[in-house]
Amino acid sequence: MSKKPFITKEQAQQIIKEFPTPFHIYDEKAIRENARKLNQAFSWNKGFREYFAVKATPNPSILKILKEEGCGTDCSSYAELLMSAKCGFKGHDIMFSSNDTPLEEFRYAKELGAIINLDDITHIEALEQACGIPETICCRYNPGGTFSISTDIMDNPGDAKYGMTKEQIIQAYSILKEKGAKKFGIHAFLASNTVSNEYYPTLAGILFSLAVEIKEKTGVELSFINLSGGIGVPYTPDKEPNDIMIIGEGVRKAFEEILVPAGLGEISIFTELGRFMLAPYGHLVTTAIHEKHIHKEYIGVDACAVNLMRPAMYGAYHHITVLGKENAPCDHVYDVTGSLCENNDKFAVDRKLPKIDKGDILVIHDTGAHGFAMGYNYNGKLKSAELLLREDGSVVMIRRPETVEDYFATLEGFWEVI
Ligand SMILES: *Cc1c(COP(=O)(O)O)cnc(C)c1O
């Protein structure tokens, strides 16, 4: 199997005339189709809603597209809340799933009427002192231990800083009820980037059973269950993508088996997906500007880890297509590098690719989520533009590239000195 870019070489050449590389580009049509499919997969649940994890792709144009598809936003900082508010998300359109939260962020979230998701039991008191307990409140659960599906260990919640233990969360609902909260939710994020149709149904089973236990022990009947993020995408071309229809059906089955018999069949299901909503629908487009033959073969490109940090940070695989050479044999082995003075600034290591010539345009795949967003300014490198490929085939710039003026903007008096 191979990954096919959503732009051709000819399209890229046209775009580059106006917007030089490197840039991120997003595919509006595919984003909408995927969002509709998610909504369809959970249409059996009356109150279903996806709250897009803003941190994955914090761009107002992207948020507006998802808003039109019925999504809310999931925020965990002041700036993300502000961006959501600016894009017209109101009240319960916004989920505030933060941790280690400054009080002023709780205050702002409450002012916006967002659903506040408490990461820790001590946050009950903090919230009460900061701005009072809202009528609707959510708590984040961490069961500890490892999270497995059959015999596969998927992730390690016992090592994760998030959420409350079971004892704490049960106590939290009792306290919150006493303090006047009226509507309650539960949230958990137990494994990241799962490429398995079993993750959500397994997680749902755990949370649904806990919902029943919470009802028995505290009398609190949950109104919503937030399955959070974690549905992944296949970064490598050999992996099968998740089937969201099968996932939705798996969650429905657990719902019917556990919640309905317990008289909890009115609960709404929420999701907080980031990667699944956007990753495959973004490319980082970059030009080969240098080749180097020393102990290994290197291709230097005009993007670097500042534009996409995942390979440097996690050793993550991102597939690369050399535009116009889609069908050429992959008979060369390259490290594809950026220009940072860090040897981990490599988009690919020992990658089999077609022969790359200077001037070739490379598409780095699956950069639509946690791509541009993780960017930084190391080595004085500037962040790139973000472009949107509209449904009609036109391309618009939805964020301009950074300039040195932006880079120096926080240094008071910088330009006067020189
Ligand atoms: C990051 C995050 C998400 C989204 O995670 P993905 O892996 O992108 O789906 C959802 N909820 C919370 C609280 C997060 O921190």
Side-chain angles (χ1 to χ4, degrees):
M1 250 171 66
S2 83
K3 280 180 181 272
K4 199 172 170 311
F6 57 76
I7 51 169
T8 62
K9 182 181 174 186
E10 290 66 35
Q11 261 176 309
Q13 284 171 329
Q14 277 304 319
I15 296 167
I16 289 169
K17 279 185 198 161
E18 199 176 345
F19 309 109
T21 56
F23 54 78
H24 284 267
I25 185 164
Y26 306 102
D27 181 357
E28 177 174 8
K29 184 162 181 277
I31 294 169
R32 287 187 188 276
E33 281 170 3
N34 183 63
R36 283 172 202 171
K37 223 168 140 193
L38 172 72
N39 282 328
Q40 194 194 337
F42 285 90
S43 58
W44 54 266
N45 183 260
K46 236 182 19 233
F48 174 77
R49 195 158 197 205
E50 152 70 4
Y51 289 84
F52 176 65
V54 175
K55 74 164 191 265
T57 323
N59 187 299
S61 302
I62 299 293
L63 297 190
K64 282 177 187 162
I65 291 170
L66 292 171
K67 185 166 187 283
E68 285 169 13
E69 298 303 332
C71 303
T73 60
D74 159 43
C75 303
S76 54
S77 70
Y78 182 83
E80 290 177 357
L81 287 169
L82 181 58
M83 187 185 289
S84 298
K86 276 275 189 193
C87 292
F89 294 92
K90 289 191 175 67
H92 285 191
D93 298 339
I94 305 171
M95 183 75 61
F96 187 53
S97 289
S98 62
N99 68 92
D100 190 18
T101 314
L103 294 186
E104 59 272 22
E105 297 193 3
F106 276 140
R107 273 186 217 114
Y108 186 45
K110 178 137 184 282
E111 200 182 301
L112 293 177
I115 301 176
I116 295 176
N117 183 13
L118 296 178
D119 182 67
D120 187 35
I121 191 160
T122 63
H123 279 155
I124 298 175
E125 215 180 297
L127 186 64
E128 192 175 31
Q129 283 169 10
C131 52
I133 305 289
E135 247 188 49
T136 300
I137 192 86
C138 185
C139 294
R140 183 166 182 167
Y141 176 52
N142 182 339
T146 53
F147 179 78
S148 308
I149 295 174
S150 8
T151 56
D152 289 344
I153 294 178
M154 308 290 286
D155 222 319
N156 206 345
D159 260 354
K161 66 172 177 169
Y162 310 107
M164 306 183 202
T165 67
K166 191 170 182 176
E167 292 67 34
Q168 286 173 337
I169 208 167
I170 289 173
Q171 199 191 345
Y173 290 115
S174 295
I175 298 171
L176 287 163
K177 190 174 150 195
E178 221 176 81
K179 291 186 184 295
K182 299 268 184 314
K183 290 182 94 179
F184 303 87
I186 193 167
H187 169 284
F189 190 166
L190 304 187
S192 193
N193 191 31
T194 58
V195 187
S196 153
N197 292 330
E198 294 303 309
Y199 170 63
Y200 256 15
T202 307
L203 171 66
I206 294 170
L207 292 180
F208 294 172
S209 299
L210 184 54
V212 176
E213 191 176 336
I214 289 165
K215 183 182 169 187
E216 284 163 0
K217 292 196 170 147
T218 68
V220 165
E221 292 195 15
L222 297 182
S223 302
F224 60 90
I225 294 179
N226 184 344
L227 301 176
S228 186
I231 297 189
V233 299
Y235 286 100
T236 54
D238 58 311
K239 270 199 187 146
E240 274 292 308
N242 287 313
D243 186 331
I244 198 64
M245 299 311 288
I246 293 177
I247 292 172
E249 186 53 26
V251 174
R252 190 189 65 78
K253 227 170 130 237
F255 192 97
E256 306 271 321
E257 280 170 17
I258 303 167
L259 290 181
V260 173
L264 294 169
E266 292 300 308
I267 289 181
S268 298
I269 301 299
F270 295 163
T271 57
E272 255 176 16
L273 298 165
R275 196 185 313 270
F276 180 78
M277 302 306 287
L278 251 302
Y281 317 118
H283 292 334
L284 173 57
V285 180
T286 183
T287 304
I289 57 170
H290 184 222
E291 56 182 282
K292 178 164 183 172
H293 316 281
I294 50 169
H295 311 290
K296 292 179 88 171
E297 296 294 295
Y298 293 99
I299 294 295
V301 296
D302 60 3
C304 65
V306 160
N307 310 109
L308 176 68
M309 204 183 196
R310 299 185 73 260
M313 193 166 174
Y314 312 120
Y317 180 97
H318 279 265
H319 198 65
I320 293 177
T321 300
V322 184
L323 291 180
K325 298 185 178 175
E326 285 84 350
N327 300 316
C330 292
D331 52 5
H332 284 62
V333 176
Y334 294 117
D335 282 14
V336 178
T337 76
S339 58
L340 296 188
C341 302
E342 276 290 335
N343 198 41
N344 65 1
D345 185 15
K346 295 182 176 183
F347 292 115
V349 175
D350 298 329
R351 184 78 58 89
K352 282 188 182 152
L353 287 163
K355 178 173 188 312
I356 297 176
D357 298 297
K358 264 197 272 183
D360 277 349
I361 306 164
L362 276 60
V363 159
I364 303 178
H365 290 256
D366 302 312
T367 63
H370 312 297
F372 178 93
M374 287 176 106
Y376 60 128
N377 280 118
Y378 197 51
N379 259 176
K381 292 285 173 176
L382 305 176
K383 287 179 212 162
S384 78
E386 291 180 290
L387 310 179
L388 181 66
L389 175 64
R390 310 297 306 248
E391 290 182 284
D392 65 6
S394 63
V395 173
V396 286
M397 184 159 69
I398 57 172
R399 186 195 301 267
R400 67 159 171 81
E402 264 183 346
T403 63
V404 282
E405 286 76 18
D406 297 323
Y407 181 75
F408 292 126
T410 48
L411 298 172
E412 206 78 51
F414 174 79
W415 295 105
E416 283 84 69
V417 174
I418 51 172

